[in-house]
């Protein structure tokens, strides 16, 4: 969690300046979290995973690396995918996995992805800020268990996203 928080801070404040690294880190975080969400299903399908804690630890890292390598190589698809994946991860994390919720999250994600490809620089800044804020928020909620997830998830996420975006826009005016 500390590594995820550190990566989140780098994305939050320097995402546009370290764009290629940021894409790699964002896709790794998304792949890692997605694999963790899918791990119970993987365990049901493959019982040998249940018996080995090594596999349970390595699968999320492998999922993160696979998505990270994809995201590192294709920039426009990467930005659109980051926006879509962030919307879906936040939807699943906070609102659940009912089909109606996923459909609404998917529609919002597609709209965000389309807007991101049309406005590349602002989209990269906002996407890296939100991704950094998401990583920091998850780390905070795990590292400080006294924080109520239902009350403070969105205020922390939105506040950090706005702060990171403002700092990145002000420091990259001439780039």
């Amino acid at each position: 969690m500390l590594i995820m928080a550190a990566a989140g801070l780098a994305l939050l404040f320097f995402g546009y300046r370290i764009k290629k690294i940021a894409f790699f880190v964002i896709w790794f975080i998304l792949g890692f979290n997605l694999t963790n969400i899918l791990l119970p299903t993987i365990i049901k399908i493959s019982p040998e995973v249940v018996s080995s804690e090594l596999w349970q630890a390595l699968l999320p890292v492998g999922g993160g690396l696979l998505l990270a390598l994809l995201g590192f190589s294709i920039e426009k698809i990467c930005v659109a995918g980051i926006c879509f994946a962030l919307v879906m991860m936040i939807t699943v994390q906070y609102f659940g996995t009912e089909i109606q919720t996923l459909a609404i999250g998917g529609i919002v994600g597609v709209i965000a992805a389309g807007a991101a490809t049309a406005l590349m620089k602002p989209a990269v800044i906002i996407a890296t800020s939100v991704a950094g804020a998401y990583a920091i928020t998850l780390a905070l909620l795990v590292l400080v268990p006294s924080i109520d997830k239902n009350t403070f998830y969105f205020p922390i996420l939105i506040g950090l996203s706005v702060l990171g975006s403002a700092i990145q826009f002000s420091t990259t005016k001439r780039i």
Side-chain angles (χ1 to χ4, degrees):
M1 277 300 149
L2 291 175
I3 293 171
M4 192 158 117
L9 282 172
L11 289 173
L12 185 67
F13 295 120
F14 307 109
Y16 188 74
R17 291 186 181 272
I18 57 170
K19 187 172 27 173
K20 288 287 189 181
I21 297 168
F23 289 161
F24 186 86
V25 171
I26 290 169
W27 279 99
F28 180 83
I29 290 170
L30 291 171
F32 186 87
N33 286 328
L34 182 63
T35 306
N36 273 331
I37 290 170
L38 294 175
L39 200 55
T41 306
I42 295 169
I43 290 171
K44 287 179 188 175
I45 294 171
S46 179
E48 61 270 2
V49 174
V50 176
S51 63
S52 174
E53 287 186 26
L54 176 67
W55 280 110
Q56 291 179 18
L58 288 179
L59 279 175
V61 173
L65 286 174
L66 284 174
L67 280 181
L69 292 172
L70 170 74
F72 185 74
S73 61
I74 309 169
E75 188 171 313
K76 283 195 179 201
I77 294 173
C78 179
V79 171
I82 287 170
C83 291
F84 180 80
L86 282 171
V87 168
M88 293 307 292
M89 291 296 288
I90 291 169
T91 300
V92 168
Q93 186 85 27
Y94 196 73
F95 297 110
T97 57
E98 292 82 30
I99 193 72
Q100 296 89 354
T101 305
L102 293 175
I104 292 169
I107 291 169
V108 172
V110 167
I111 292 169
T117 54
L119 307 163
M120 232 11 212
K121 180 180 177 181
V124 169
I125 290 173
I126 292 169
T128 57
S129 293
V130 172
Y134 177 74
I136 293 168
T137 302
L138 288 182
L140 274 175
L141 292 174
V142 169
L143 295 173
V144 185
S146 62
I147 297 176
D148 182 31
K149 175 186 172 189
N150 294 327
T151 305
F152 293 108
Y153 179 79
F154 275 118
I156 293 171
L157 181 70
I158 292 168
L160 287 174
S161 297
V162 169
L163 176 67
S165 294
I167 289 172
Q168 284 193 57
F169 276 117
S170 67
T171 60
T172 60
K173 284 181 183 176
R174 301 191 199 290
I175 294 178

